[in-house]
Amino acid sequence: MAEPTVRLTDEQVAFLHEHGYLSLEQLSPPDEIAWMKGVYDRLFATRAGHAEGNHFDLAGSDDDQDQLNLPQILGPSRYAPELAETVLRANVARIAQQVLGAAAGVGGDHAILKPPSGGVPTPWHQDEAYWDPSLEYRSVSVWVPLQDAPVEAGCLHFVPGTHRLPVLPHHTIGHDPRVHALEIDPSDQYDLSTAVACPLPAGGATLHFSRTLHYAGPNHSPEPRRAFIIGFGLPAAKRSEPRSFWWNETKQTAREQRAREHRERQAQAAR
Ligand code: NI
């Protein structure tokens, strides 16, 4: 297991809790990032996870495999276990303890590839809007670009302080039930004009809580924008107060269909 190389200062931990996001110059060394880039590109080129519904178009109807607007892989370390042995992951594990205490652990990872020269933005959303509404979360996402991510390449933007909001109503992009990606409904509970852009060098990172409102612009650079995301958090507990994320219940995505078919194949093989 790799040894951690990064420790947050008390000021950085306090900034994250106060504003709901934090920007770090380096969380993974350059040689590791160069290596990860190769693994990452191979997973996308071979459509790892497609049959299981873990590789899909985040921002399109996902029914034309050659025209993905915003391809995503859920759990890339399932398909390349060496991605779980990195200095990056060791650093995330240490930061998790610093931010949320000894009970915090590293969670799942995912990969979002934003194709070069234009394309779509990732609309404003809270990550928790995608999750199980019956659980209470205390968790943070760590977003790591595998090449420089200036504003023009689609770095993340955050609205400071929005981590203290509840989960606000969302809808799928264009109100299209075939699309996986969510966008927050217009509301007077937040002010997008106060958003902060967080451009990063390759191997840098931003951290944000599960309710921090965030967005990424289109990628106007000539290179794909590769983002690798790792979560950390406390074990999710059952909520005492119920809530409904109705925007997920009406979705009918090709990804979910593939996942269902995969589960059925597995169940048949087990019989
Ligand atoms: Ni997000």
Coordinates of all heavy atoms in Angstrom, one line a residue, residues 56-62 64 66-71 113-115 118-120 179:
F56 N -21.4 4.8 -19.3 CA -22.6 5.3 -20.0 C -22.4 6.8 -20.2 O -21.5 7.4 -19.7 CB -23.9 5.1 -19.2 CG -23.8 5.6 -17.8 CD1 -24.4 6.9 -17.5 CD2 -23.2 4.9 -16.8 CE1 -24.4 7.4 -16.2 CE2 -23.2 5.4 -15.5 CZ -23.7 6.6 -15.2
D57 N -23.4 7.4 -21.0 CA -23.3 8.8 -21.3 C -24.1 9.5 -20.2 O -25.3 9.4 -20.0 CB -24.0 9.1 -22.6 CG -23.8 10.5 -23.1 OD1 -23.2 11.3 -22.4 OD2 -24.1 10.8 -24.3
L58 N -23.4 10.4 -19.5 CA -24.0 11.1 -18.3 C -24.9 12.1 -18.8 O -25.9 12.5 -18.2 CB -22.8 11.7 -17.6 CG -23.0 12.4 -16.2 CD1 -23.7 11.6 -15.3 CD2 -21.7 12.8 -15.7
A59 N -24.7 12.7 -20.0 CA -25.4 13.9 -20.4 C -26.2 13.7 -21.7 O -26.5 14.7 -22.4 CB -24.5 15.1 -20.5
G60 N -26.4 12.5 -22.1 CA -27.2 12.3 -23.4 C -28.1 11.1 -23.2 O -28.3 10.6 -22.1
S61 N -28.8 10.7 -24.3 CA -29.8 9.7 -24.2 C -29.1 8.3 -24.1 O -29.7 7.3 -23.8 CB -30.7 9.7 -25.4 OG -29.9 9.4 -26.6
D62 N -27.8 8.2 -24.4 CA -27.0 7.0 -24.2 C -27.4 5.9 -25.1 O -27.2 4.7 -24.9 CB -27.1 6.5 -22.7 CG -26.1 5.5 -22.3 OD1 -25.0 5.5 -22.9 OD2 -26.4 4.7 -21.5
D64 N -26.8 6.0 -28.6 CA -25.8 5.8 -29.7 C -24.4 5.8 -29.1 O -23.9 6.8 -28.7 CB -26.0 7.0 -30.6 CG -25.0 7.0 -31.8 OD1 -24.2 6.0 -31.8 OD2 -25.0 7.9 -32.6
D66 N -21.5 5.7 -30.2 CA -20.4 6.4 -30.9 C -20.5 7.9 -30.6 O -19.7 8.6 -31.0 CB -20.4 6.1 -32.4 CG -20.1 4.6 -32.6 OD1 -19.3 4.1 -31.9 OD2 -20.7 4.1 -33.5
Q67 N -21.6 8.4 -30.0 CA -21.8 9.8 -29.9 C -22.0 10.1 -28.4 O -23.1 10.6 -28.0 CB -23.0 10.2 -30.7 CG -22.8 10.2 -32.2 CD -21.9 11.3 -32.7 OE1 -22.0 12.4 -32.2 NE2 -21.1 11.1 -33.6
L68 N -21.1 9.8 -27.5 CA -21.3 10.1 -26.1 C -20.9 11.6 -25.8 O -19.8 12.0 -26.2 CB -20.4 9.2 -25.3 CG -20.6 7.7 -25.4 CD1 -19.9 6.9 -24.3 CD2 -22.1 7.3 -25.3
N69 N -21.8 12.3 -25.2 CA -21.6 13.7 -24.8 C -20.6 13.8 -23.7 O -19.8 14.6 -23.7 CB -22.9 14.3 -24.4 CG -23.8 14.6 -25.6 OD1 -23.3 14.9 -26.7 ND2 -25.1 14.5 -25.3
L70 N -20.8 12.9 -22.7 CA -20.1 13.0 -21.4 C -19.9 11.6 -20.8 O -20.6 11.3 -19.9 CB -20.8 13.9 -20.5 CG -20.2 14.4 -19.3 CD1 -18.9 15.2 -19.6 CD2 -21.1 15.4 -18.5
P71 N -19.0 10.8 -21.4 CA -18.9 9.4 -20.9 C -18.4 9.3 -19.5 O -17.5 10.1 -19.1 CB -17.9 8.7 -21.9 CG -17.3 9.8 -22.6 CD -18.1 11.0 -22.6
L113 N -15.1 11.7 -18.4 CA -14.3 12.1 -19.6 C -15.0 13.2 -20.4 O -16.1 12.9 -20.9 CB -14.0 10.9 -20.5 CG -13.1 11.2 -21.7 CD1 -11.7 11.5 -21.3 CD2 -13.1 10.0 -22.6
K114 N -14.5 14.4 -20.4 CA -15.2 15.4 -21.2 C -14.4 15.6 -22.5 O -13.3 16.0 -22.5 CB -15.2 16.7 -20.4 CG -16.2 17.7 -21.0 CD -16.5 18.8 -19.9 CE -17.7 18.4 -19.1 NZ -18.2 19.5 -18.2
P115 N -15.1 15.2 -23.6 CA -14.4 15.2 -24.9 C -13.9 16.6 -25.3 O -14.4 17.6 -24.8 CB -15.5 14.8 -25.9 CG -16.5 14.0 -25.1 CD -16.4 14.7 -23.7
G118 N -15.2 21.7 -27.2 CA -16.6 22.1 -27.1 C -17.4 21.1 -26.2 O -16.9 20.8 -25.1
G119 N -18.5 20.7 -26.7 CA -19.3 19.7 -26.0 C -20.1 20.4 -24.9 O -20.4 21.6 -25.0
V120 N -20.6 19.6 -24.0 CA -21.6 20.1 -23.1 C -21.0 20.4 -21.7 O -20.0 19.9 -21.3 CB -22.7 19.0 -22.9 CG1 -23.4 18.7 -24.2 CG2 -22.1 17.7 -22.3
V179 N -32.1 10.7 -19.8 CA -30.8 11.3 -19.4 C -30.5 11.0 -17.9 O -31.4 11.2 -17.1 CB -30.7 12.8 -19.7 CG1 -29.4 13.4 -19.2 CG2 -30.9 13.0 -21.2

